[in-house]
Structure formats: structure tokens, C-alpha cells
């Protein structure tokens, strides 16, 4: 257990906030956090920090709100409706290209969390990219899969249209996969993958997947974002928010069952089985190197920017790599 604790220690850079916590007593600093979707394992850190009183200890008055997708969350943070959001670099890049001022301020998904999922069939195990070429894949009408998948195929030496993409209502994608109307669907660790697997089990089926990140996609996924104005105007409060949130994530990885109980206690509509699996999947995203990676790596920043340029026709001169991320709050 001691080795586990050392492996999951939060980097010193992520907890550089002692001055803020030692300030004279006064009114708590208000921070509003948009979870981008319904509460789930991927945002366990802030949920646990709030339940444990760690935000209060840091002099913060934090409110947690459900969101309605990454694009809307990015716009709402940029417009000042929320202080911090859980947003992917795609929407940060598109926001900045359209005149916004978002930056990613902290890592949550240190690797790209999505994979290509399929229903396992006897004698037809799909272990690599060539096993899924020629199949049909469904995705929500506005899902990034329609941009990411062709770019991913191309970077692996396959034709961009090697997999047929269908635009579907997001609500029917998983059902379409399990009913055999499509062959493939995108699924995300610490998010909908656990949901899809449980539904499949209930009908006697099993889900398999191929990770994008195992085949050349070296990019960051969603993390904490804030505006340039917030970063400049309330850096100590944001540092305190990040430190308490990473403390929550460290707790979740070390005590997953206890973390599950906290999330279900805060949001009773959550499925305990699904929530526990989401929490257990966090380690592969938050700590791919063995410890929580709270700061951004320059090489992966460049790789993420290159993906945005290739997949979304991002104008490279309009949005530079160092405009997407900042480690200023970890100094």
C-alpha cells in the first residue's frame, strides 16, 4: 500500500497553493465547475473534493453543475457562465480559432480516452486496425469521431474512408451497436464504456475495443479549462481548485470503493456498478506513467495540436500549440 501511495502521489507542481490557503480568513472564493455531462467517474476528483470538504479547507465555495457536451461547456466557460470546465482540446482549439480565450489548465485525461468498440463474436475477434477495415461505425451527429477516425486511419497508413461512418442520434448509437445495425461505435474510458458493457452483459453479449492511443494517437483528452482572464485574475483560487481536485482523484484511485460510495451518495441516480468501473478506469488516464500527471508535457502538446490541424482543419497559424495549454498554475 505504501508503494501504491508513492506511485499515486500528486506532483509537487500541482499543489503549489500554500500561500492561498494561508491567507487571512475572509469570504470564500466562488468557483463554478461545469462537468460537461452528467456526473460520472471522469469527474470524480472535484466531486470527492467537495464531499470531503477539501474545497472548503482551501477557502473555496465550489458549485458543481452538470453539462450538455464539450462544445457547449467550452462556450459557457468562455462566456463567463462557469469558472472552470471539463473540456477536450478539440473544443479549446475551435474556441480559440473563433476568437475565444480558453486554455487547458490541468490534465485529467493524460492519454486519449476513446476507443473503437465492437460486440465480440465467436471466431471473429478484432485485435487490430485491419480487423475493422470495411465495417460500419456509428457516431452522434456532432461527435468528434467523424473527424478523429479518418485522421487516425490515415496516420496508421490506411485509407481515410476505410471505415464507413454513419451520423446517428447519440441516443441510439449504443443500441444500434448491440442490435447489429452497425459494427462499431466509439466508447470512452471512465465514461460510456462501462455503460455499454453493462447493457451488453444483460443481453448475453461482450464488448471488445481497440484503443486509439495504442495505435499512434498520442494526444491529450479532456481536462480542466479556464479563460485567460480567470488565469490572470484568480490564479491562487484556480491552483487551490486544482490541488483539491487532484487530491480527490488520488483518493479515487487508492480507494475506489469508497470513492464510488461518495459519488453515489452525492448523486443517488448513479449506478454503483458502472460508477465503480469508471473510477477504476481512471488510473490508465490520469496516471499512465504510474503517478498523476497534473502538468502538460511539451511533446504531447505538439502531438495534440498536430491532430487538431489534421482532423479539424485547424489553422496552424491561428492557434499555436502553447495557446491550448498552460502549466502556469503549476508553477
Amino acid at each position: 500500500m505504501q508503494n501504491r501511495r508513492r506511485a499515486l502521489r500528486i506532483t509537487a507542481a500541482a499543489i503549489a497553493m500554500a500561500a492561498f490557503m494561508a491567507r487571512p480568513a475572509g469570504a470564500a472564493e466562488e468557483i463554478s465547475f461545469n462537468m460537461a455531462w452528467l456526473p460520472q467517474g471522469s469527474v470524480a476528483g472535484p466531486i470527492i473534493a467537495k464531499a470531503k470538504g477539501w474545497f472548503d479547507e482551501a477557502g473555496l465555495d465550489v458549485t458543481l453543475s452538470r453539462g450538455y457536451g464539450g462544445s457547449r461547456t467550452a462556450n459557457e466557460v468562455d462566456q463567463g457562465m462557469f469558472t472552470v470546465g471539463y473540456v477536450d482540446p478539440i473544443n479549446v482549439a475551435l474556441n480559440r480559432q473563433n476568437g475565444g480565450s480558453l486554455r487547458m489548465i490541468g490534465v485529467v485525461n493524460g492519454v486519449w480516452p476513446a476507443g473503437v468498440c465492437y460486440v465480440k463474436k465467436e471466431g471473429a475477434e478484432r485485435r487490430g486496425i485491419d480487423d475493422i477495415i470495411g465495417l460500419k461505425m456509428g457516431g452522434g451527429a456532432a461527435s468528434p469521431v467523424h473527424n478523429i477516425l479518418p485522421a487516425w486511419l490515415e496516420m496508421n497508413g490506411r485509407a481515410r474512408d476505410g471505415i464507413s461512418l454513419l451520423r446517428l442520434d447519440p441516443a441510439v448509437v449504443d443500441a444500434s451497436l448491440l442490435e447489429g445495425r452497425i459494427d462499431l461505435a466509439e466508447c470512452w474510458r471512465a465514461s460510456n464504456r462501462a455503460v455499454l458493457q453493462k447493457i451488453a452483459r444483460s443481453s448475453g453479449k461482450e464488448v471488445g475495443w481497440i484503443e486509439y492511443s495504442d495505435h499512434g494517437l498520442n494526444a491529450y483528452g479532456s481536462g480542466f479549462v479556464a479563460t485567460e482572464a480567470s488565469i490572470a485574475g484568480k490564479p491562487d483560487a484556480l491552483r487551490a481548485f486544482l490541488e483539491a481536485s487532484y487530491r480527490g482523484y488520488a483518493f479515487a484511485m487508492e480507494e475506489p470503493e469508497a470513492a464510488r460510495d461518495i459519488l453515489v451518495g452525492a448523486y443517488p441516480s448513479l449506478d454503483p456498478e458502472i460508477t465503480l468501473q469508471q473510477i477504476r478506469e481512471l488510473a490508465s488516464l490520469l496516471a499512465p506513467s504510474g503517478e498523476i500527471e497534473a502538468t502538460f508535457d511539451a511533446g504531447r502538446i505538439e502531438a495534440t495540436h498536430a491532430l487538431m490541424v489534421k482532423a479539424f482543419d485547424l489553422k496552424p497559424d491561428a492557434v499555436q500549440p502553447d495557446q491550448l495549454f498552460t502549466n502556469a498554475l503549476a508553477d
Side-chain angles (χ1 to χ4, degrees):
M1 181 61 76
Q2 289 181 346
N3 289 337
R4 177 67 172 160
R5 289 195 179 101
R6 284 196 295 271
L8 296 177
R9 68 186 183 279
I10 301 172
T11 58
I15 58 174
M17 47 142 328
F20 181 74
M21 294 184 65
R23 74 200 189 290
E29 181 85 27
E30 293 184 359
I31 296 285
S32 52
F33 175 61
N34 186 321
M35 294 185 277
W37 194 237
L38 296 168
Q40 57 184 1
S42 58
V43 288
I47 295 172
I48 292 169
K50 184 172 178 65
K52 287 281 193 180
W54 295 334
F55 288 135
D56 295 334
E57 291 175 9
L60 300 178
D61 178 9
V62 174
T63 57
L64 308 178
S65 300
R66 69 151 295 177
Y68 295 88
S71 177
R72 177 167 165 177
T73 298
N75 290 333
E76 289 175 343
V77 174
D78 188 58
Q79 293 167 13
M81 297 172 62
F82 296 91
T83 319
V84 183
Y86 178 78
V87 177
D88 59 79
I90 296 167
N91 282 299
V92 173
L94 295 177
N95 169 267
R96 294 196 71 97
Q97 183 164 270
N98 292 322
S101 66
L102 292 185
R103 254 183 218 262
M104 300 193 76
I105 60 173
V107 180
V108 177
N109 294 325
V111 298
W112 195 259
V116 178
C117 282
Y118 54 88
V119 175
K120 291 185 176 182
K121 297 180 181 179
E122 187 175 353
E125 180 67 12
R126 309 187 190 282
R127 300 182 182 276
I129 298 174
D130 288 336
D131 297 317
I132 58 177
I133 295 298
L135 301 182
K136 291 187 300 183
M137 183 165 179
S143 170
V145 67
H146 300 289
N147 298 82
I148 293 292
L149 185 77
W152 178 67
L153 289 173
E154 184 177 34
M155 71 174 61
N156 282 282
R158 277 72 167 186
R160 290 177 63 90
D161 60 355
I163 294 172
S164 299
L165 278 164
L166 303 178
R167 293 184 183 271
L168 304 174
D169 183 323
V172 305
V173 173
D174 289 350
S176 296
L177 176 66
L178 295 175
E179 292 168 7
R181 286 179 282 154
I182 56 176
D183 305 302
L184 310 167
E186 199 167 60
C187 60
W188 302 73
R189 279 175 277 177
S191 181
N192 79 310
R193 187 174 298 180
V195 178
L196 181 59
Q197 286 182 276
K198 182 170 183 178
I199 297 172
R201 286 194 298 271
S202 70
S203 57
K205 298 177 181 178
E206 185 179 359
V207 173
W209 54 82
I210 299 169
E211 303 286 11
Y212 290 134
S213 59
D214 288 342
H215 298 274
L217 205 159
N218 179 31
Y220 283 110
S222 295
F224 296 117
V225 306
T227 62
E228 300 278 13
S230 292
I231 295 167
K234 51 176 64 180
D236 292 333
L238 290 177
R239 286 190 185 99
F241 173 85
L242 291 174
E243 189 277 335
S245 295
Y246 286 125
R247 186 179 175 188
Y249 280 123
F251 177 89
M253 288 197 290
E254 187 164 329
E255 303 288 346
E257 291 86 0
R260 181 267 320 274
D261 293 343
I262 289 172
L263 265 66
V264 174
Y267 301 97
S269 63
L270 293 179
D271 180 298
E273 179 185 356
I274 289 172
T275 302
L276 181 59
Q277 181 177 333
Q278 291 172 339
I279 289 170
R280 284 179 168 154
E281 289 173 352
L282 279 170
S284 65
L285 304 175
L286 274 160
S289 67
E291 64 179 39
I292 292 178
E293 297 180 357
T295 56
F296 297 101
D297 171 75
R300 201 172 300 160
I301 288 174
E302 293 282 350
T304 304
H305 181 265
L307 176 67
M308 302 301 102
V309 171
K310 176 183 287 290
F312 293 89
D313 296 325
L314 182 70
K315 300 172 184 175
D317 295 334
V319 182
Q320 298 295 325
D322 62 359
Q323 292 178 304
L324 299 176
F325 307 87
T326 180
N327 285 323
L329 298 177
D331 293 339

